[in-house]
Amino acid sequence: MRDLDRVDIHPTHALGGFKVRPGRPLPFGATRVPGGVNFSVFSSHATSCSLVLFRRREREPMAELPFTDEFRIGNVFAMVVFGLDYENVEYGYRMDGPYDAAAGHRFDSSKVLLDPYAKLIAGRDVWGQEPDWDGVYQHRGRLVFDDFDWEDEKPLWTPFEDLVIYEMHVRGFTQHPSSCVRHKGTFAGVREKIPYLKQLGVNCVELMPIFEFDEFENSRLVPQSGERLVNYWGYSSVGYFAPKAGYAATGTFGMQVDELKALIKELHRHGIEVFLDVVFNHTAEGNEMGPTISFRGIDNRTYYMLTPEGYYFNFSGTGNTLNCNNPVVRNMVLDCLRYWAAEYHVDGFRFDLAAVLGRDQSGAPLANPPLLENLAYDPIMAKCKLIAEAWDAGGLYQVGSFPAYGRWAEWNGKYRDCIRKFLKGDMGQVPEVARRLEGSPDLYGWRGANATVNFVTAHDGFTLADLVSYNGKHNDANGENNNDGTNDNDSWNCGWEGPSTDAEVQSLRRRQMKNAIALLMVSQGVPMILMGDEVGRTQMGNNNAYCHDSELTWMDWTLLEPNAEIHRFFRHCIAFRRGHPALRNAWHLRHEDYMGSGLPDISWHGARAWLPDWSPASRTLAFALCGRHARGGHERDDSIYVAMNMHWEAHTFAVPPLPDGMRWRVSANTGLAAPQDAWERGLEPVLDPQDWVVVGPRSVVILVGR
Amino acid sequence: MEIQARKEGPVTVVELAGDLDTNTAPEAQEQILPLVEDGSRLLLDVSRVPYMSSAGLRVMLSLYRRVASQNGELVLVGLSEEIRDTMEVTGFLGFFSTCQTYEAGLATLQEQG
């Protein structure tokens, strides 16, 4: 059928030198329509609004088009503008309304405001390039071509329990000269490293914030070192619908949307899912002392949680808190996530400081937060994985009690703490270790093991190499007298603080790192590893490196050589997990032999078979998984036995017998140096004799039975 | 933008000169699409195109789709290093057959069938 023209696509008015007509409220933002662009923005409290247009990169506006009454529908200002030079226009809004801080209104008609729904944002096109500080409009909305050819891409829908997540900083991954990629520090750079990711064996990358943010926010010079600190991690959103231009090789051309989509398409082609770390708990505008970029000037009272006196609640620790359960804001968050899921084919989201999302408009925790409920039941997001960092900076700790609606998984901070304590040989850990290795049924018993995202390290805190090299944090380079960053690191330096040339210290550190990855990969639940841990990346003991854009935080690819042993062991453990469905159950294990194989699905042991030592002084523990019970008995696998000895002396572990015809083989032993530390499938040496194994001090032995 | 088209045997050669962006892309589309027939062999010479914007990339892809849907062949020649890199990074390059020189492109298309 040949297309008929619509009857509502011709101009009806002339404003500011442009032909215009009343627009349509949906979709919000700037949308291509026949002959023009539909601009739609809403504000519950603005009394007037005008569209401000700039020629690309020019300081002063070229036109201002007021939204008179015919261009309003309810609280929405909507206008179609014809004849725009699509790729050379930048736009914003000027809003007026009451200025009454106590009542929560901070309208300022001298400001040009960024559209919260801007899909492309200019102003920080190249990372670190000094902006025009005197420019009145710093972060500028632009028009984007949102069409993209995904060809015949099919969604991966990898079951959550089958994922091995790699937490990555886009810039940090390839910015170091040793990365040898063409476009360092960008989405294109990540794409060049896909073979590396595949070889490592991860099948999911969780990207630290990629929404447009200002790297110059809170930028300061450290007097002692002369280093310029920046907002490197990016937990501070300027716009929720636009990818960071400075993360794109084509950022100067404004092609970051295509570049990111092309990266995601390629990752998907290689079986790797993409999660975004999203920050809905606060914005880059800070408190009343911060810049007015967008939300504050558009509708302060709606977007922010305010005290009765009109100050900003600070449950994020950064100055403001997004008013997520306000119905208007709730819709924006929903629109945003739907947009990334549908238009960018994002597979999952990790929500920073997610406890904020469960607070009401005056900050009180809600039993049934509408936003979280909406997200859990939304049809477009239905196959997206949702992960909550289930705490905030206001004391609301919800690990195990986050309003999950059967859908949300959580960053399991208790797993991290417990495993770290166990690794360094603390007393009284063994009973909790068992629970954590089983997927934390004490926390998620009614949800299943895939509600827990297990991790030992993340961007917050020490890297793995530093976890075993430092007893305390060393954040002096942050210029805050080492006061920032957590003190609860549960780390142990293996006998010396910081870099050491002592062979024994180095050997122990290597062993401890292997212990950590081994335990993580044999745990029920979803594992996450931190970029660079596989090559022993160090931040020299800095456990809060958010402000460093330097070799301190970048992935150092030269470490592949000296730390080849660690890298190989990581690859082995990841492949081990991916090759054994018995490790990847969505549901918690039952401690029963319901398949009649002779072994229960899981059984706990100590140095003595069937008799774990739960006492406070115990540092030994073992478990056995029966291969017939993999995935609730639906799959067949090898049996697996894991012996863990976090004592400083070797112990002999009695190994439970296998059914006839099967024999235990040694897959990994962190107590031995490479290449005896890990054996490829099919080449594992047979355990001889079969009924006991010596586990060295602070070591883990993994056996497979077939 | 200048657009010149001619026939070299079975091959339709189209030469573009000037930036390919929102201002010139619609015109390029209007002029080139009608040249595409069933089984067309199209050689697109962009050696005198210094810059392609997002709009330019899209017009190129649309051309490719039209040619492909009519069982034709399209070869791109004269891509500058920079444009080639941009196309690669934004995911547009993979759709195209490209040749280093006009002669190579012509030869490739003349060989078909």
Side-chain angles (χ1 to χ4, degrees), chain A residues 155-165 201-205 271-275 347-348 382-387 407 409 447 449-453 524-527 577-578 580-581 583-587 631 635:
Chain A
L156 290 170
W157 290 348
T158 308
F160 211 162
E161 61 274 12
D162 290 344
L163 291 178
V164 175
I165 305 173
V202 298
N203 55 6
C204 176
V205 292
I272 300 175
E273 292 207 345
V274 179
F275 288 4
D347 305 283
K383 300 277 207 249
C384 288
K385 280 85 167 176
L386 304 173
I387 302 173
R407 284 266 281 126
R447 285 285 314 284
N450 64 9
T452 171
V453 174
Q524 303 292 321
V526 184
R577 181 181 184 79
R578 292 196 61 189
H580 289 285
L583 297 171
R584 294 182 274 112
N585 296 292
W587 299 105
R631 312 267 235 198
E635 284 190 51

Side-chain angles (χ1 to χ4, degrees), chain A residues 613-633:
Chain A
D613 181 359
W614 304 118
S615 69
S618 167
R619 278 119 170 144
T620 55
L621 184 62
F623 67 88
L625 294 170
C626 169
R628 287 290 319 276
H629 289 82
R631 312 267 235 198

Side-chain angles (χ1 to χ4, degrees), chain A residues 3-49:
Chain A
D3 266 344
L4 284 178
D5 279 345
R6 294 177 63 100
V7 300
D8 58 357
I9 58 169
H10 59 276
T12 53
H13 298 70
L15 280 178
F18 286 91
K19 296 210 175 86
V20 301
R21 70 167 290 119
R24 301 175 83 193
L26 294 173
F28 295 123
T31 315
R32 259 201 297 176
V33 294
V37 179
N38 189 78
F39 293 92
S40 172
V41 67
F42 55 87
S43 168
S44 307
H45 298 100
T47 51
S48 70
C49 177

Side-chain angles (χ1 to χ4, degrees), chain A residues 85-87 145 147-149 151 182-183 188 191 250 253 255 258-259 262 265, chain B residues 21-23 52-55 58 65 81-82 85-86 88-92 95:
Chain A
D85 186 356
Y86 201 78
E87 287 175 318
F145 288 101
D147 54 338
F148 185 82
D149 195 339
E151 293 185 86
R182 189 168 179 159
H183 296 290
R191 200 161 142 214
T250 55
F253 305 130
M255 296 179 184
D258 284 336
E259 188 174 323
K265 183 179 174 186
Chain B
D21 58 24
T22 26
N23 295 314
M52 263 190 231
S53 74
S54 300
R58 279 157 170 79
R65 285 276 174 230
E81 185 69 31
E82 193 175 33
D85 187 50
T86 300
E88 219 277 302
V89 152
T90 53
F92 281 85
F95 295 100

Side-chain angles (χ1 to χ4, degrees), chain A residues 325-401:
Chain A
N325 284 295
N326 171 298
V328 171
V329 183
R330 206 194 306 159
N331 282 345
M332 184 194 76
V333 174
L334 195 55
D335 284 346
C336 171
L337 295 165
R338 284 174 162 186
Y339 177 67
W340 290 95
E343 296 295 315
Y344 284 81
H345 293 202
V346 167
D347 305 283
F349 300 91
R350 174 261 184 193
F351 293 75
D352 184 63
L353 296 189
V356 166
L357 309 186
R359 290 182 184 268
D360 72 14
Q361 302 196 51
S362 50
L366 287 161
N368 191 20
L371 172 60
L372 297 180
E373 190 187 31
N374 277 0
L375 293 179
Y377 289 103
D378 186 72
I380 297 176
M381 308 269 296
K383 300 277 207 249
C384 288
K385 280 85 167 176
L386 304 173
I387 302 173
E389 184 193 25
W391 54 81
D392 65 15
L396 189 55
Y397 186 79
Q398 297 183 309
V399 170
S401 61

